[in-house]
Amino acid sequence: EDQVTQSPEALRLQEGESSSLNCSYTVSGLRGLFWYRQDPGKGPEFLFTLYSAGEEKEKERLKATLTKKESFLHITAPKPEDSATYLCASPSSGSARQLTFGSGTQLTVLP
Amino acid sequence: DVKVTQSSRYLVKRTGEKVFLECVQDMDHENMFWYRQDPGLGLRLIYFSYDVKMKEKGDIPEGYSVSREKKERFSLILESASTNQTSMYLCASMNAGVNQPQHFGDGTRLSIL
């Protein structure tokens, strides 16, 4: 059964305090790994696609990396506006059109 | 930029009513999806469509149906609304091809009284 697990469930950081969010997956025949940001009351906003182990993508203070079993979202010197829930997702082994989502990490950055 | 528009941000209906949720995308995407999102349960796929008039069941299709008469529009129908269908409903669209991301609308917060 496909599974995507995110940790921690919640993370509180001081402004400027760098950290990482983890996404581990057990999807056979991995066909990409997606990261999304979701603000309260809004739909998920697409951030990154990672296609293969060793790949890295960056956007402002965020950097996503991928290994054969997990992905990390590194947040460098975060600001309060980075506060959101971060979701990762992987195409299902049964159908590449369907995504299996993790339950998310709720990040709070305190000023 | 991809734009996925859901017709209502908030909706309140009564049990037993037939409820229509509408979604429109402006990028000519082949694939469209309906999810519900509940605290502690995450995003769960209800139905998706890979072409006009084509649909496939997701993980939780019971109590729902869908309609896709035009490529840009995908409707979710609650045939007889029940209180356990109170939720946040999210529509997404996705281009054809490998490793394409899904793009989401801002959701409809539906309350069934």
Side-chain angles (χ1 to χ4, degrees):
Chain A
E1 183 186 342
D2 296 339
Q3 273 201 321
V4 177
T5 305
Q6 292 187 247
S7 62
E9 287 186 19
L11 182 63
R12 291 167 70 93
L13 300 173
Q14 290 295 134
E15 184 172 1
E17 180 187 359
S18 302
S19 189
S20 297
L21 314 182
N22 177 261
C23 171
S24 62
Y25 53 88
T26 55
V27 176
S28 57
L30 181 72
R31 285 169 285 185
L33 193 292
F34 301 96
W35 281 98
Y36 289 85
R37 169 192 170 126
Q38 186 173 24
D39 292 301
K42 296 205 147 186
E45 174 191 354
F46 170 67
L47 292 173
F48 303 111
T49 306
L50 299 166
Y51 298 102
S52 57
E55 189 174 4
E56 297 183 354
K57 293 268 179 80
E58 281 189 69
K59 180 179 181 179
E60 295 181 2
R61 294 175 293 281
L62 301 176
K63 183 167 84 171
T65 62
L66 183 66
T67 72
K68 286 187 178 178
K69 291 189 176 181
E70 56 192 350
S71 177
F72 293 93
L73 185 65
H74 307 277
I75 304 176
T76 302
K79 298 183 177 182
E81 53 262 42
D82 295 322
S83 297
T85 296
Y86 291 86
L87 299 165
C88 67
S90 178
S92 302
S93 54
S95 167
R97 291 190 186 96
Q98 297 189 51
L99 291 179
T100 300
F101 279 87
S103 53
T105 293
Q106 186 174 5
L107 174 67
T108 304
V109 182
L110 303 170
Chain B
D1 276 357
V2 177
K3 190 155 179 67
V4 179
T5 303
Q6 295 185 230
S7 54
S8 306
R9 291 299 306 276
Y10 301 94
L11 207 53
V12 180
K13 296 291 182 181
R14 298 214 170 269
T15 55
E17 281 193 69
K18 191 168 186 176
V19 181
F20 294 85
L21 302 183
E22 306 285 341
C23 175
V24 176
Q25 50 98 0
D26 67 353
M27 287 302 292
D28 203 37
H29 285 173
E30 280 76 9
N31 304 285
M32 296 187 74
F33 305 81
W34 276 107
Y35 294 86
R36 62 178 285 177
Q37 186 174 32
D38 301 287
L41 296 176
L43 277 153
R44 293 180 291 166
L45 181 65
I46 304 171
Y47 267 98
F48 70 98
S49 167
Y50 53 90
D51 201 351
V52 175
K53 297 191 187 294
M54 306 304 289
K55 61 185 179 185
E56 281 197 28
K57 293 180 181 179
D59 300 318
I60 51 164
E62 297 78 18
Y64 303 94
S65 62
V66 289
S67 172
R68 192 163 180 208
E69 297 296 317
K70 293 186 177 181
K71 193 175 185 180
E72 68 270 19
R73 187 180 297 270
F74 192 33
S75 302
L76 180 69
I77 303 151
L78 285 66
E79 298 289 344
S80 178
S82 63
T83 54
N84 63 10
Q85 292 178 310
T86 291
S87 186
M88 168 73 108
Y89 288 88
L90 290 161
C91 174
S93 74
M94 183 180 82
N95 208 352
V98 178
N99 290 328
Q100 296 295 315
Q102 293 184 16
H103 297 274
F104 287 83
D106 274 342
T108 295
R109 174 77 62 186
L110 176 64
S111 296
I112 307 295
L113 304 178

